[in-house]
Amino acid sequence: MSELNNKVLMITGGTGSFGNAVLEKFLDTDLAEIRVFSRDEKKQEDMRIRYQNSKINFIIGDIRDFESINSAMFGVDYLFHAGALKQVPSCEFYPMQAVKTNIIGAENVLEAVGRNNVNKSIVLSTDKAVYPINTMGMTKAIMEKLAISKARDARVIKNNNMICITRYGNVMCSRGSVIPLFIDQISRGGPITVTHKDVMRYFMTIPEASNLVLQAGEMSSGGEVFILDMGEQVKIFDLARKLI
C-alpha cells in the first residue's frame, strides 16, 4: 500500500501479535491515524503505554456488534481484519462462539467495509481452512467464502475497492503458538504435551506473516487468496525434542 499520505488504517484484533507487528511497520509512515480495534481493554492500555504515540487511536469494541465496528470504520481507507477466535481447543469446546466471531463477526466487518467505502481490505486466514477438520478451520473457511463473495459486491466494485485474503500456517511465538508453551513446560521440568508424535505443521515468523499481508495489499485486484510458501512441514515431536 504505497499511497499512505494522510490515510487511515484500521486493525481489528489489533492488540494481538499481528497488530503489534503491523504497528511497528507503519508508525513511521505518513499515515494520519492507525485505529486499533479490539475488546481487550488491558492489552490496549499496555500498548498505549508502550508506544505513547498520538497517531494510534485505540477503540474498544466487538466485531460481533455491527454498530460498534460500523461506526469505528467511518473514514477508514485501509483495513487489516485480524480479529478472530484462533485457539483450536477453545473453538472445539465452544463452537458457537467461534461461529459468532469468525463467521458472523467477519460478515459484520465486511458489511461495514462496503458501507464505509474502505479502499483496501485484507482478511487474515489460516491453513486450517483448507480441508478443515476442526471448528476453527471450518469457521475460517466460511470466513474466506464471505470475503470472496463480498469482493464481488456491487458497492465494492462500483467504488473500485479491493478485498483479498491471506492464508498462512503457525506463526512462531505468536499468542497461542506452541513454542512458548513448550518453553514454559521445559522450564518447569516437564512434561511436554504433544498431542501425537506424527503431527506436522507449517511454521513462519511474525515478520514473514506481516510481510505477506502487506504484499497482498500491494498486489491484489480483489477476491484473491494469497498463500505464503512456508517450505517443509515440521514434526511437532521433533520441534519439542530440539527445544529440550
Side-chain angles (χ1 to χ4, degrees):
M1 296 184 294
S2 54
E3 300 297 329
L4 299 178
N5 185 38
N6 210 33
K7 302 295 186 182
V8 177
L9 168 67
M10 182 170 173
I11 312 164
T12 67
T15 54
S17 303
F18 175 82
N20 279 272
V22 167
L23 275 178
E24 298 286 350
K25 289 181 177 294
F26 282 103
L27 275 179
D28 294 328
T29 66
D30 295 327
L31 281 169
E33 180 187 350
I34 303 174
R35 297 181 190 173
V36 174
F37 182 93
S38 80
R39 59 183 181 180
D40 196 323
E41 59 175 340
K42 177 59 169 64
K43 288 190 173 67
Q44 286 194 13
E45 181 64 14
D46 291 343
M47 289 176 69
R48 185 182 289 110
I49 294 170
R50 174 186 174 188
Y51 289 106
Q52 296 187 32
N53 192 309
S54 59
K55 184 181 291 187
I56 308 174
N57 180 12
F58 294 95
I59 303 174
I60 294 176
D62 193 336
I63 60 174
R64 297 182 182 191
D65 176 7
F66 176 73
E67 290 305 321
S68 72
I69 185 65
N70 188 51
S71 61
M73 208 176 291
F74 178 77
V76 168
D77 299 290
Y78 303 122
L79 171 76
F80 294 131
H81 175 44
L85 291 184
K86 308 180 186 74
Q87 301 292 316
V88 171
S90 297
C91 293
E92 291 298 292
F93 296 147
Y94 304 102
M96 278 308 302
Q97 297 301 315
V99 168
K100 289 178 181 179
T101 297
N102 296 352
I103 298 176
I104 298 172
E107 169 63 20
N108 287 338
V109 170
L110 293 164
E111 176 62 22
V113 162
R115 293 194 188 189
N116 288 280
N117 193 23
V118 177
N119 182 242
K120 289 188 177 182
S121 303
I122 298 96
V123 177
L124 277 63
S125 188
T126 170
D127 59 349
K128 296 182 183 73
V130 183
Y131 300 113
I133 59 172
N134 54 51
T135 304
M136 197 277 270
M138 293 173 187
T139 55
K140 281 289 195 174
I142 296 175
M143 181 207 70
E144 289 190 5
K145 301 296 186 185
L146 288 171
I148 293 170
S149 173
K150 200 65 75 170
R152 303 189 185 106
D153 188 290
R155 293 167 301 180
V156 173
I157 295 172
K158 178 183 176 182
N159 293 320
N160 197 30
N161 295 333
M162 180 278 294
I163 299 171
C164 71
I165 301 157
T166 56
R167 185 195 292 159
Y168 44 78
N170 279 7
V171 179
M172 291 187 288
C173 297
S174 65
R175 287 198 306 174
S177 169
V178 75
I179 294 175
L181 171 63
F182 283 173
I183 291 173
D184 180 64
Q185 290 175 337
I186 292 167
S187 69
R188 296 171 184 270
I192 292 181
T193 53
V194 178
T195 305
H196 194 285
K197 67 183 299 182
D198 292 330
V199 169
M200 302 179 72
R201 288 306 311 275
Y202 290 105
F203 282 91
M204 63 191 300
T205 65
I206 292 174
E208 285 175 330
S210 58
N211 285 337
L212 168 65
V213 174
L214 298 181
Q215 290 170 11
E218 291 283 357
M219 297 169 59
S220 177
S221 58
E224 305 94 340
V225 180
F226 290 89
I227 305 170
L228 181 71
D229 181 358
M230 291 171 284
E232 299 296 324
Q233 286 185 315
V234 176
K235 266 193 176 183
I236 302 299
F237 184 76
D238 292 342
L239 172 65
R241 291 180 61 184
K242 288 183 181 294
L243 286 171
I244 292 169

